[in-house]
Amino acid sequence: MNEVVLLAPAFAAGGLLGAIFFGGLWWTVIRAVSSQQPALWFLGSMLLRTTVTLAGFYFVGREHWERWLLCLLGFVLARLVVSWLIRPPGQHAKPTAPESSYAP
């Protein structure tokens, strides 16, 4: 029980880092598409997001591989959540199987 309490913040920090990284990527794509200099947006965003993420991983993990692993797990989970949240509204429902072209 004590280990869970000590390792849960690493998972939460990984989720926060993932949300910042992938949310920032989505925000960058939205802004860069309508910009006069999209390469500058992408380069600056990549450097900032990568720096924040690596510094966060280093700060959270330190010398404990368990923290690194849980931080990475939270980061990957945040990717799934962010990609689910930014889908267009009509795509949130699960697709149904197409109907057959003949009647039984």
Side-chain angles (χ1 to χ4, degrees):
M1 177 67 180
N2 193 20
E3 291 180 15
V4 173
V5 172
L6 293 175
L7 294 176
F11 179 76
L16 179 64
L17 288 171
I20 291 169
F21 187 87
F22 295 109
L25 176 60
W26 173 73
W27 185 79
T28 301
V29 169
I30 297 298
R31 296 288 182 238
V33 168
S34 62
S35 173
Q36 296 290 332
Q37 299 173 333
L40 188 61
W41 274 96
F42 284 113
L43 180 63
S45 172
M46 181 192 66
L47 290 174
L48 181 65
R49 289 180 296 113
T50 303
T51 301
V52 168
T53 302
L54 289 177
F57 268 85
Y58 182 74
F59 179 75
V60 169
R62 306 237 176 159
E63 297 174 359
H64 302 279
W65 67 269
E66 298 92 352
R67 292 182 189 171
W68 282 91
L69 186 63
L70 282 173
C71 193
L72 180 64
L73 183 64
F75 187 83
V76 171
L77 185 64
R79 181 201 180 274
L80 297 173
V81 170
V82 169
S83 64
W84 181 78
L85 286 174
I86 64 173
R87 282 192 279 174
Q91 293 182 359
H92 283 289
K94 292 188 177 200
T96 58
E99 293 184 23
S100 60
S101 59
Y102 60 92

